[in-house]
Amino acid sequence: MWNRRELKKNAKYSLKLNYIACIAVCFIMVFIAGEYQSTVQFILKYDTRNVVNLKYDAEQKARIVGEIEALCGGDLTNVDEKTLESAIGSVSDEYNIHNKRALRSWVQIYKQKGVSALNFKEVTLFGIAGETSNWKTITRTLEMLGSDKVKINKNINLTEEQFAYFFDLATKKIFSELGVVCYLFRLFTNKDTVRVLIYFVCALLSLLVTIFVAAPLIVGERRFFLENRTYHGTKIGRIGFLFKARYFKPTFIMLLRNVYMMLWLFTIVGGIIKFYEYEMVPFILAENPSIDRKKVFSLSKQLMKGNKWNSFVIDISFYPFVIVTALVSAGIAAIIFGFAFNVVLVTEICSGIVMALFLNPYRTATKAELYIALRKEAIKSNYEFSEELKDEYLDLDLLEEKIGSLEKTTEPAK
């Protein structure tokens, strides 16, 4: 029977012997397969163009925006652009804030969400970040492309109407074909149509990446850690073994696993249970990519029967590392920089570094040890479909036991 302490001890030993490769594999999984997202949470929340946000807390930002509002006559809702620019310039000089874009973003957040939103939402990547919002940049560009205004070279003495007349005259012979193109342009430069189209394309690309890139890499990562525990010089390239061997069945099975878990999430408790019930699916596929769908899910269910809570406890056991890191980094940041500094961001950066350099590979290596322990029990107890767990070289201890038993049965009688 396995125990958590032994699994972690074996995992640490495996990491120690191939540490750089283990870190590199997890790092690749963060940015390509979307694994370990908590590691890069601070990247998603922080925009380097707004360094000034580190220097001011919510109360100070509210006071600065209040001064801008006073200079604008006490009303920011109907202020003209020239007055707002002048007020921002005055406050920028007063507080020695050179990044006027940050001040403008604070004003926008205050107008849209109120004073309570002036925490550090302006540094989120997908929030209402005023000038720093990627979405606003895209939509403004599309609006510009769809505008009826045509700028004519000042050296050419033509009005817009005259330019349009000569353009229509020059394209008279292909008027019908050009008309179709123009109607298409009008359709796809409509703001609402473009937004729907962008949402659709982004969703489709995300789905394709998830199915054909992320899923095979997740299985490949499990293969890497399974091999690494036995062969400590395992190369990073092993995470791409499904691509090299052209196995497509695991991709479909991983898609089904994700769909099942998503549907079970609507039941909340059922989603948590099924998450752990299907946890061994990628490991089984990593060992035997040609296994049938029915056998994969059945084997995972059998392996995790009575072990879901224990696996959950393994996950929870890594949190003290994160909590201690967060508390220590927050305390140091507060002592050195004071509480006006964005302590939360510093905490997230330090926690992310600890997870990237230690916890991510440590956790996955521990789960690989768990799979090997459950696999050994399945083979010895002859679980249904356990014959599909046929890569004997993943667990040399079990292989040695098997060879020893065969030698005893074939040993000639004296």
Side-chain angles (χ1 to χ4, degrees), residues 134-394:
N134 293 340
W135 176 243
K136 285 195 175 183
T137 302
I138 293 171
T139 53
R140 285 175 185 173
T141 303
L142 294 171
E143 286 170 2
M144 179 186 70
L145 292 173
S147 175
D148 291 331
K149 296 179 181 178
V150 179
K151 293 185 178 180
I152 310 297
N153 192 319
K154 293 181 179 179
N155 296 324
I156 302 175
N157 189 22
L158 285 175
T159 64
E160 186 176 329
E161 290 76 12
Q162 290 172 325
F163 178 83
Y165 170 78
F166 286 114
F167 180 81
D168 291 344
L169 189 66
T171 57
K172 186 176 181 180
K173 292 184 178 181
I174 56 169
F175 183 78
S176 57
E177 293 86 350
L178 190 62
V180 174
V181 174
C182 288
Y183 277 117
L184 288 174
F185 271 121
R186 289 174 188 171
L187 173 64
F188 289 107
T189 53
N190 179 276
K191 185 167 63 176
D192 294 331
T193 304
V194 169
R195 287 184 177 181
V196 171
L197 183 64
I198 289 174
Y199 284 141
F200 175 77
V201 171
C202 289
L204 181 61
L205 288 176
S206 179
L207 179 63
L208 293 176
V209 169
T210 300
I211 295 173
F212 296 107
V213 178
L217 283 177
I218 290 171
V219 175
E221 181 202 30
R222 304 305 194 266
R223 181 71 193 189
F224 170 86
F225 278 96
L226 286 175
E227 290 187 6
N228 184 67
R229 66 176 301 277
T230 305
Y231 311 101
H232 302 301
T234 304
K235 303 297 183 183
I236 299 172
R238 288 300 290 162
I239 64 174
F241 88 103
L242 285 182
F243 299 110
K244 186 176 181 180
R246 298 183 180 180
Y247 284 113
F248 299 106
K249 187 181 288 186
T251 300
F252 173 68
I253 293 174
M254 287 293 289
L255 174 62
L256 286 179
R257 171 182 175 262
N258 292 338
V259 171
Y260 293 160
M261 287 196 301
M262 182 179 67
L263 294 175
W264 275 104
L265 279 175
F266 289 108
T267 64
I268 303 177
V269 176
I272 299 172
I273 294 172
K274 290 297 179 179
F275 173 83
Y276 285 100
E277 184 174 297
Y278 300 149
E279 188 176 28
M280 292 301 146
V281 168
F283 286 102
I284 297 169
L285 292 173
E287 177 174 356
N288 183 5
S290 60
I291 189 173
D292 290 336
R293 172 187 60 83
K294 179 182 177 182
K295 295 179 179 180
V296 172
F297 287 103
S298 176
L299 264 175
S300 182
K301 184 177 181 179
Q302 293 178 79
L303 291 175
M304 295 305 293
K305 186 176 181 181
N307 290 300
K308 298 184 192 68
W309 174 255
N310 295 326
S311 183
F312 173 74
V313 172
I314 290 176
D315 289 333
I316 293 297
S317 68
F318 293 101
Y319 280 90
F321 292 98
V322 180
I323 294 171
V324 170
T325 301
L327 292 175
V328 171
S329 58
I332 294 174
I335 292 170
I336 296 175
F337 303 105
F339 287 100
F341 193 78
N342 196 331
V343 174
V344 175
L345 179 60
V346 175
T347 302
E348 289 178 346
I349 291 174
C350 293
S351 300
I353 292 171
V354 170
M355 284 189 280
L357 297 182
F358 179 63
L359 287 185
N360 292 342
Y362 184 23
R363 179 183 176 277
T364 306
T366 303
K367 287 303 176 87
E369 293 292 336
L370 173 61
Y371 172 71
I372 292 297
L374 298 178
R375 173 187 183 273
K376 186 179 294 186
E377 178 63 28
I379 293 173
K380 288 183 175 180
S381 302
N382 196 26
Y383 287 3
E384 186 181 15
F385 307 129
S386 61
E387 69 276 3
E388 296 293 337
L389 306 176
K390 52 190 177 183
D391 193 337
E392 296 177 333
Y393 295 99
L394 286 181

Side-chain angles (χ1 to χ4, degrees), residues 53 57 61 71 74 110 116 133 167 210 240 296 325 408:
N53 285 295
D57 59 20
K61 291 174 187 175
L71 291 172
Y110 173 74
S116 61
S133 169
F167 180 81
T210 300
V296 172
T325 301
K408 287 182 180 179

Side-chain angles (χ1 to χ4, degrees), residues 14 17 28 38 40 46 107 111 119 132 180 209 217 260 291 334:
S14 299
L17 296 178
I28 291 169
S38 56
V40 291
Y46 180 58
V107 171
K111 287 167 61 176
N119 196 351
T132 66
V180 174
V209 169
L217 283 177
Y260 293 160
I291 189 173

